[in-house]
């Protein structure tokens, strides 16, 4: 089992990441939270310090920096390591669901969606992987999506970014395994967060950020390769991937 006592979270103000951080804070973990919005970050840190009984912020700290901008990575990673020392776990959690009509018809919007959801995460992983490798233990988790499992007309640009991330993580997992470092691809389905505001959230497929957070922590502790969150998405996506293309192209998914 991987210990989660010293953890850095990039994109910590995401609803899913916040739920993860709250659970870790309550467990007494040392946390370093990185998020782009200074005001939201400060209120998150205040909340975590209450939950973690750390009023002086000795264990729980953070830095306002945009994780989707690779220019911030060096500084943020250095600050995280100065606070945490050896890092048990790094969680990458930022992302944004682009408007399909815009991203499917605009080169700029497509490139922006690929940067936010794909290439910026790959850039950060490229920076931090050698340090985990040298350290010889730890776990890296990145939040992808079931959308990366098969391209669909409704959100294939977002799906492309998450699919790229999943393939990168697969290779990184293979590379870091001999060093004793786990790399976990986290694939949530539908989660009720600000990202999905405006969606019809009725139906049994929707999960809460906290239930997904519980699954993320379990997967990180166990060093699972790929975790579908909740678990039943593994079954759903196995079926969706297996649908032959001649049939799939008639479905409105
Ligand atoms: N919700 C779902 O149904 C679902 C399903 C599958 C995967 N996911 C993935 O889960 C992760 C967490 O998302 P969430 O559902 O918790 O959503 P969320 O609460 O809306 O959080 C999104 C996070 O990404 C940051 N962000 C948004 N747009 C950004 C931009 N343009 N540049 C840089 N950072 C940006 C936000 O920062 P601010 O706080 O500053 O806005 C926030 O930290 C994401 O990777 C998402 O793709 C979500």
């Amino acid at each position: 089992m991987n210990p989660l006592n010293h953890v850095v979270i990039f994109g910590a103000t995401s609803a899913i990441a916040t739920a993860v951080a709250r659970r870790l804070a309550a467990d007494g973990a040392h946390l370093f939270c990185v998020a782009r919005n200074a005001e939201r970050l400060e209120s998150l840190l205040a909340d975590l310090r209450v939950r973690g009984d750390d009023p002086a912020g000795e264990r729980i700290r953070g830095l306002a920096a945009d994780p989707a901008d690779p220019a911030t990575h060096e500084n943020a990673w250095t600050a995280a390591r100065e606070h945490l020392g050896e890092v048990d776990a790094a969680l990458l959690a930022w992302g944004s669901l682009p408007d399909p009509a815009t991203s499917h018809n605009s080169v700029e919007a497509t490139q922006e969606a690929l940067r936010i959801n794909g290439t910026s995460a790959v850039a950060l992983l490229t920076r931090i992987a050698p340090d985990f490798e040298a350290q010889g233990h730890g776990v890296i988790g990145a939040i992808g999506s079931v959308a990366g499992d098969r391209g669909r007309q409704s959100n294939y640009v977002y799906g492309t970014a998450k699919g790229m991330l999943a393939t990168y993580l697969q290779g990184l997992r293979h590379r870091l395994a001999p060093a004793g470092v786990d790399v976990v691809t986290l694939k949530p389905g539908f989660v009720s967060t600000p990202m999905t505001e405006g969606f019809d959230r009725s139906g049994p497929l929707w999960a809460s950020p906290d239930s997904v957070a519980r699954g993320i922590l379990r997967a990180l502790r166990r060093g699972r390769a790929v975790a579908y969150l909740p678990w039943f998405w593994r079954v759903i996506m196995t079926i969706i991937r297996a649908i032959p293309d001649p049939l799939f192209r008639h479905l409105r998914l």
Side-chain angles (χ1 to χ4, degrees):
M1 292 287 244
N2 291 308
L4 300 179
N5 299 325
H6 295 83
V7 180
V8 54
I9 303 178
F10 294 92
T13 52
S14 109
I16 294 173
T18 294
V20 169
R22 284 177 172 170
R23 284 179 169 269
L24 288 170
D27 286 348
H30 291 69
L31 295 177
F32 195 80
C33 296
V34 181
R36 63 176 177 163
N37 183 313
E39 214 172 300
R40 296 192 58 203
L41 175 66
E42 274 317 311
S43 84
L44 171 66
L45 291 173
D47 171 78
L48 294 175
R49 285 169 184 152
V50 171
R51 290 167 193 269
D53 192 20
D54 180 32
E58 279 162 17
R59 278 185 286 109
I60 299 170
R61 296 203 188 147
L63 178 77
D66 181 357
D69 177 3
T72 69
H73 291 170
E74 185 64 42
N75 194 27
W77 179 235
T78 302
R81 293 208 299 161
E82 273 171 13
H83 173 54
L84 298 174
E86 294 218 329
V87 180
D88 294 328
L91 176 66
L92 281 63
W94 73 93
S96 132
L97 195 59
D99 171 52
T102 312
S103 66
H104 293 173
N105 297 297
S106 151
V107 174
E108 290 75 19
T110 295
Q111 288 179 328
E112 181 69 348
L114 295 177
R115 177 182 69 83
I116 295 167
N117 297 293
T119 55
S120 58
V122 167
L124 179 60
L125 292 163
T126 305
R127 172 61 192 89
I128 70 177
D131 291 332
F132 273 93
E133 196 169 30
Q135 180 179 278
H137 65 90
V139 56
I140 299 172
I143 306 185
S145 171
V146 295
D149 278 15
R150 186 164 190 175
R152 290 178 288 122
Q153 52 85 28
S154 54
N155 66 354
Y156 59 84
V157 170
Y158 175 72
T160 298
K162 294 297 194 181
M164 177 186 73
L165 179 60
T167 304
Y168 183 90
L169 291 167
Q170 195 175 40
L172 190 64
R173 180 179 311 121
H174 201 193
R175 168 185 160 194
L176 295 185
V181 177
D182 291 320
V183 176
V184 182
T185 308
L186 301 155
K187 295 188 180 182
F190 301 147
V191 193
S192 302
T193 70
M195 180 180 281
T196 53
E197 228 163 47
F199 283 55
D200 174 8
R201 289 170 171 169
S202 56
L205 296 182
W206 285 85
S208 71
D210 190 54
S211 73
V212 170
R214 217 177 325 118
I216 287 175
L217 289 170
R218 196 181 314 120
L220 294 178
R221 286 200 172 94
R222 293 183 182 172
R224 294 278 302 275
V226 178
Y228 285 85
L229 302 160
W231 64 269
F232 54 74
W233 282 98
R234 184 179 291 276
V235 181
I236 294 172
M237 295 317 295
T238 301
I239 294 166
I240 288 183
R241 278 197 313 272
I243 298 171
D245 193 67
L247 174 60
F248 195 75
R249 65 181 67 182
H250 296 294
L251 303 177
R252 304 307 292 168
L253 291 172

